[in-house]
Amino acid sequence: MSTFYPLSRLPVGQTGVIRRIAVDGSLRRRLQDLGLLCGRTVVCLHRAPWGGPTAYGVCNTVLGLRQNDAARIFIESEGGDAP
C-alpha cells in the first residue's frame, strides 16, 4: 500500500510523483498551469531558510512554492518510501 505525504516534506535532492492536489479554485488552476499535475515527477531543488519558499523542479521548470501551498500537494516518493 502506498503512502502519500505533503510535498513540503520532500527532502532536497529527492524526487516524488504528484498523486493529489488538495487545493480548490483559482490556486488549483494556477498550479496546474505551472505544470503541477497528478502523475508528474517533481524534485525538491532548494529550501530557503527560515520557512521561506522552496524551489521545485517540474517539467523543465523551476517553481517557488510557499510552505503552506506545498503542504496541500500530496506526493509519493519515487522509491516508495516516505521521508
Side-chain angles (χ1 to χ4, degrees):
M1 182 168 98
S2 298
T3 302
F4 302 154
Y5 59 93
L7 178 60
S8 59
R9 287 185 41 206
L10 185 66
V12 173
Q14 298 294 315
T15 61
V17 178
I18 299 172
R19 295 297 183 204
R20 182 172 168 254
I21 300 174
V23 179
D24 291 324
S26 62
L27 179 58
R28 181 182 185 89
R29 179 68 182 159
R30 179 70 177 140
L31 293 174
Q32 291 173 335
D33 288 345
L34 292 171
L36 293 170
L37 300 168
C38 290
R40 293 264 173 98
T41 300
V42 62
V43 60
C44 183
L45 300 173
H46 178 75
R47 200 172 303 284
W50 302 293
T54 300
Y56 297 98
V58 63
C59 294
N60 297 321
T61 302
V62 177
L63 307 172
L65 292 178
R66 293 177 288 196
Q67 179 93 9
N68 62 341
D69 292 334
R72 298 181 342 185
I73 299 169
F74 294 90
I75 62 168
E76 179 179 28
S77 65
E78 291 229 301
D81 299 327

